[in-house]
Amino acid sequence: MRLSHIDYDSIKEKALKGRYITHNHITPILKNLPAVFKLEEIGRSVKDLPIYTVTFGNGPKKILMWSQMHGNESTTTKAIFDLFNLIVGSSKISSTILNTCTIKIIPILNPDGAMAYTRMNANIVDLNRDAQERSQPESKVLRNCYEHFKPDFCFNLHGQRTIFNVGNSSKPATVSFLAPAFDKERNISFTRAQSMRLIVAMNQELQEEIPGQIGRYDDGFNANCVGDTFQMLNIPTILFEAGHYPNDYDREETRKFIFIAMFKALDVISSDTLEEYDQSAYFEIPDNNKLFYDILIKNVHIIDPIKYKDGDSLGILYKEVLKNEQITFEPSFEKSGNLEGYFGHKTYDCTSENDFSYLKSATFAKLI
């Protein structure tokens, strides 16, 4: 199977778009899924919203995925529904996956956080730091699902901020991966190596689409994190991080690349080709770094020579604010001073006559 054989626009779920994706958005789609999908309510959130799984396929290789563990990380949820449409609409590809794999997906694990557009659940708990204590109903739901399903692979689907770049380059980390550690020494077990191989396969595919825009997430060990916990239980687990693509704050481009990654992973698993990928190539993927601002203004001393030193820059980050069921991006001062080595998704230089003129009327100029 090759992704080039798929018309992505034809399988993209048009009913889901933007950053605000909630129980209310996905439920009508879930209720109308074809018979190949089994929809099941497996629990309730703190605020008594249903948590669903969608299961499809009847093959021996079992894959468990969950999205929106953090309620404001919705890009991977959109990609999941694109995957559903692939299964429905492409008989040759779907039949291979359906015959070799059984896939169980929790589209939104944290429906209360999704409604409020927050990372935490309704009890202000980060579910991805609750893997051991399992103090929250959503944490119990995920663990019970894991124990009953007994997956062979786990896909932990997340989103990351616009601050991340790849290595020391000016490339945004549009997609990042992690094979979570299972101990403090970050040793490589057989199952962690399997996670690495799968990431190598996805990285190779994505390099054809977004060269240089794939990063490797920090692998510091934390037993309270779900991915680390499942890796400790000897199940190959992969962290997906949906990041920024230029001028794509709604993450509509990024969702495509997450879909491509998921498709490639399922292709490799279903075709038994995982061993063809060299785990050592995992470490060739550059680390994520945090060198981006949404807006970088250079030489701000030209505008205010009293407040700033010669050559100072100003870094601005957007705050994502929920208003009328839409996410707005409000500029907020982050840092000023010597920002050599940092990048901006938008960069202005006060020594440029055009930039200087624009900054006089820009809404964020008041932050200077």
Side-chain angles (χ1 to χ4, degrees), residues 81-100:
F81 282 83
D82 299 340
L83 180 63
F84 292 162
N85 289 343
L86 171 72
I87 296 299
V88 171
S90 186
S91 59
K92 183 177 179 180
I93 294 171
S94 62
S95 63
T96 301
I97 293 173
L98 292 170
N99 291 331
T100 57

Side-chain angles (χ1 to χ4, degrees), residues 3-19:
L3 192 65
S4 59
H5 298 159
I6 300 171
D7 177 9
Y8 174 73
D9 286 340
S10 71
I11 58 96
K12 181 178 180 180
E13 178 49 65
K14 306 301 193 298
L16 298 177
K17 59 184 179 180
R19 297 290 284 274

